[in-house]
Amino acid sequence: MEMKNINQFKIREWLDVQDIYLSEHYAELNPTWHEEDSPWKARQVRDIIDRNNLEISSFCEVGCGTGEILLNLTNSYPDVQFTGYEIAPHAYQRAKEKETSQLTFKFGDALEEKNANFDVVLIADVIEHVEDYIGFVKGMKGFGRYKIFHIPLDLSVQSVFRGWPISNLRKNVGHIHYFFKDSALDALRDCGYSIIDFKYTASRLELPKQALSSRLMKLPRRLCFSVFPDWTVRVLGGYSLLVLAE
């Protein structure tokens, strides 16, 4: 499914919400495509794979951006074949330059791919951007046995109270859905998934290039999390959820 064969009608259906990715707008707001976060995200994925002893020969990422997470994972799993799907032309072109015999990128909607099946499918920081995320998550069920979701937990007491953090996520990085732990897990279950494993990831504490407010909150979040993890995430925020589902 190369760029010239992309279903143009499907792309037009997305334009209302996803024009930020199909145009250069997202690249202008986020010129690195968050590549600096990829080594950290790859470590989180590697951790949940290894602690569940998953046997993998094929691995796919849907919404792979510039492909940096997959590129990092190839170093850990040299015998696995990796494939990435991306709808944003700018990100796809950057990813395409990183292809190897072990790593392939495809341009377009993964849901239109026929007869694709992988051992593990990664959907990292994607569903909060997708207009019909329920339809998207259901559509991914047949794409592979195991799914790994990484979902930012944007809803917390402090984020709702202040308001502007959520507004900025919508304006700057295109989040149109917002989750806390229970709503994220319930959404996956409602889509027919069984939850095998999940864990919090300390995205605002450990990722580079954080805002001043996140840096100031780093120590309180870390201290509180060590004693009351669920309370800390629900009240102070700053975490994401990594989920292994089948």
Side-chain angles (χ1 to χ4, degrees):
M1 185 165 47
E2 294 298 320
M3 186 180 299
K4 63 182 179 181
N5 296 321
I6 188 71
N7 187 318
Q8 296 298 329
F9 177 75
K10 185 69 173 180
I11 288 294
R12 284 196 296 272
E13 289 183 327
W14 290 350
L15 283 178
D16 286 345
V17 173
Q18 293 190 311
D19 188 46
I20 185 176
Y21 314 109
L22 301 176
S23 69
E24 294 294 311
H25 185 61
Y26 189 89
E28 291 169 358
L29 291 173
N30 305 277
T32 69
W33 287 87
H34 311 290
E35 287 184 337
E36 63 277 7
D37 299 345
S38 297
W40 178 87
K41 291 181 179 180
R43 287 196 300 272
Q44 312 309 313
V45 172
R46 195 163 58 239
D47 176 67
I48 205 164
I49 289 173
D50 293 348
R51 79 183 198 175
N52 286 278
N53 300 311
L54 300 186
E55 295 184 3
I56 305 172
S57 61
S58 60
F59 187 104
C60 166
E61 183 181 8
V62 176
C64 66
T66 65
E68 280 293 310
I69 295 177
L70 292 179
L71 192 62
N72 276 270
L73 288 172
T74 60
N75 298 322
S76 300
Y77 304 103
D79 297 323
V80 175
Q81 194 67 36
F82 291 88
T83 304
Y85 289 85
E86 179 54 50
I87 66 164
H90 186 270
Y92 168 76
Q93 293 295 351
R94 290 177 61 163
K96 195 71 175 173
E97 297 173 356
K98 302 169 185 175
E99 283 193 331
T100 68
S101 59
Q102 189 188 358
L103 177 59
T104 302
F105 294 100
K106 298 188 177 185
F107 180 80
D109 182 0
L111 292 177
E112 295 181 354
E113 189 75 287
K114 305 300 182 184
N115 303 316
N117 191 272
F118 302 89
D119 295 325
V120 178
V121 178
L122 173 64
I123 304 168
D125 302 294
V126 169
I127 68 171
E128 65 275 13
H129 299 272
V130 179
E131 183 174 11
D132 177 16
Y133 81 90
I134 294 292
F136 170 76
V137 172
K138 286 182 176 179
M140 283 287 100
K141 277 188 63 65
F143 218 60
R145 178 177 180 183
Y146 297 109
K147 312 298 185 307
I148 298 175
F149 295 90
H150 192 248
I151 305 169
L153 301 178
D154 295 329
L155 291 181
S156 65
V157 172
Q158 66 84 18
S159 68
V160 172
F161 179 77
R162 292 190 294 163
W164 62 262
I166 293 176
S167 297
N168 283 351
L169 287 169
R170 191 180 193 92
K171 179 175 65 176
N172 296 328
V173 291
H175 290 198
I176 57 174
H177 305 289
Y178 312 98
F179 299 92
F180 59 97
K181 183 189 79 172
D182 297 313
S183 67
L185 293 176
D186 285 344
L188 296 180
R189 293 188 183 105
D190 289 345
C191 290
Y193 289 87
S194 298
I195 306 301
I196 299 171
D197 190 13
F198 66 87
K199 70 168 191 172
Y200 293 122
T201 63
S203 49
R204 289 291 177 266
L205 285 71
E206 298 174 358
L207 285 174
K209 295 186 178 180
Q210 292 302 306
L212 176 61
S213 58
S214 293
R215 297 199 302 271
L216 292 174
M217 286 295 295
K218 182 175 181 178
L219 182 58
R221 282 170 169 156
R222 192 178 296 279
L223 291 174
C224 292
F225 186 86
S226 66
V227 182
F228 306 110
D230 286 335
W231 181 93
T232 302
V233 175
R234 184 70 62 88
V235 175
L236 300 182
Y239 288 78
S240 295
L241 192 68
L242 188 70
V243 183
L244 174 63
E246 186 177 9

